[in-house]
Amino acid sequence: MSEQSRRTDQSRAVTVLGSTGSIGVSTLDVLARHPDRFHIAALSGFTQVERLFEQCRRYRPSLAVMADASAARRLRTLLSQAGLDIEVAEGEGGLERAATAPSDIVMAAIVGAAGLAPTLAAVRAGKRVLIANKEPLVMCGHLFIEEAARSGAELLPIDSEHNAVFQCLPPDHRTGQRDPGVRRILLTCSGGPFRNTPQSELAAVTPEQACAHPNWSMGRKISVDSATLMNKGLELIEACWLFGVAPDDVEIVIHPQSVIHSMVEYDDGSVLAQMGNPDMRTPIAHALGWPERISSGVSPLDLVEVARLEFERPDFSRFPALGLAAQAARSGGTSPAILNAANEIAVGAFLDRRIGFLDISRVIQAVMEAVPSNGADDLAMILDADRRGRDAAFTTIETMRPDSAARGMH
Ligand code: NAD
Ligand code: MG
């Protein structure tokens, strides 16, 4: 699909922010199945130079961005040695350039708050924005909805649950506005790798165990979020913004098979579900092709093979992150941004083996208690809350270290 000669007038230009990550690679896999429909405008990565170089070689974007400046220098060298004339940009400015460069579709697949500025820039530029990067929506979903209304950008959810809900809503439904006939949204949750792990064993689980998700293969940060169930908490907040519902209109249901990706319950008692094998290429293909259906490479769902679909209520005592997120959703203002900031720092510390698994929620709780929530009217207030949340999380982790070591973590 890389060659210029294959580009037709109908071909849509796609930028993939975070192309070197799990969602980025799945997106390129789907795009490569449709060489006449799509071509690549820009790609971005953080530090994985070799992977971005290979992607440049294969997909020939006009622009390649490395968020890290020394990685950008190495990429320039590799591209010029290979005789490839592809412009390389770097840093936040480079990411924003990629987000706003001439293209029809932007896949937002950077992890964490680092994706906020470029994703918002793509929305302001009026693109079709495919939102995998949930953290910016958690921090300030209202700004995304308002900016999209202003610019005419289309926001299409990639998170499998939100994509499922989107598919179960009426076709004329507009993102950010509640459909009056909707009674509840049922977000399904696999339960993660520790669904049945006794509380007494959770303190000693390792990053490797936390990242070994039973159903989904994902980046390390979201894998840990799925193990603490913070991922579902972030998704609750994400759903409130995307579908214009209140936190109490969203119910979380544990569904270990990950075949039903979420459901919408209507006032007449109907419950619509979207099903499929757990493979992110389905929601990615759905949003790339929308409103048309395009192939994704995902194998057909064999319900007889699945045989059984089970449902349970979540255990808020073993997974306190879920309750903390629900509380932040109800408090509103900058609470979700503070929660997200504390979680990003705590997950990073856990992955670096500086704190234990149970400390993740302890850090978040301490930060939520220490940092007051304000109004979240504009981006400056959100970024200030993000910074205060991070600072408080670092301080909390410093004071916790001896305690975690005493729990036999290291
Ligand atoms: P990943 O860690 O595999 O990839 C992250 C991407 O972001 C990489 O390209 C990386 O280079 C880039 N990146 C990281 N830090 C950066 C920074 N500071 N500046 C610029 N770029 C940076 O993560 P992933 O699993 O692909 O997840 C990406 C986003 O999609 C996350 O927000 C996640 O919650 C969401 N998501 C992922 C899945 C999944 O199945 N992986 C499902 C639903 C939602
Ligand atoms: Mg999800």
Side-chain angles (χ1 to χ4, degrees), residues 134 159-162 216 222 231-232 235 238 280:
K134 69 190 80 182
D159 216 343
S160 57
E161 297 75 5
H162 306 74
W216 298 94
I222 184 177
N231 184 48
K232 212 49 55 180
E235 291 183 356
E238 186 185 5
M280 289 307 292

Side-chain angles (χ1 to χ4, degrees), residues 330-346:
R330 288 194 194 96
S331 307
T334 51
S335 288
I338 296 165
L339 172 97
N340 178 69
N343 183 55
E344 285 193 31
I345 299 304

Side-chain angles (χ1 to χ4, degrees), residues 195-254:
R195 182 168 61 92
N196 294 319
T197 307
Q199 173 78 29
S200 57
E201 291 173 25
L202 284 177
V205 301
T206 63
E208 290 71 27
Q209 289 170 310
C211 289
H213 196 279
N215 304 345
W216 298 94
S217 155
M218 310 180 285
R220 279 161 69 77
K221 192 259 175 183
I222 184 177
S223 294
V224 176
D225 287 346
S226 301
T228 58
L229 299 202
M230 178 53 90
N231 184 48
K232 212 49 55 180
L234 299 179
E235 291 183 356
L236 162 68
I237 301 169
E238 186 185 5
C240 291
W241 291 125
L242 283 174
F243 307 118
V245 296
D248 291 335
D249 299 328
V250 182
E251 184 171 341
I252 291 163
V253 183
I254 303 291

Side-chain angles (χ1 to χ4, degrees), residues 287-298:
L288 283 172
W290 190 77
E292 286 174 46
R293 297 276 176 177
I294 62 172
S295 62
S296 64
V298 177

Side-chain angles (χ1 to χ4, degrees), residues 53-64:
F53 171 64
E54 283 309 322
Q55 291 180 346
C56 286
R57 204 149 62 171
R58 178 156 181 209
Y59 298 102
R60 306 287 166 98
S62 310
L63 177 67

Side-chain angles (χ1 to χ4, degrees), residues 286-324:
H286 169 263
L288 283 172
W290 190 77
E292 286 174 46
R293 297 276 176 177
I294 62 172
S295 62
S296 64
V298 177
S299 53
L301 176 64
D302 183 341
L303 277 173
V304 175
E305 176 80 13
V306 176
R308 187 162 278 129
L309 299 179
E310 294 163 308
F311 306 95
E312 301 165 9
R313 289 197 199 290
D315 181 346
F316 282 76
S317 62
R318 263 186 322 132
F319 298 102
L322 204 46
L324 291 169

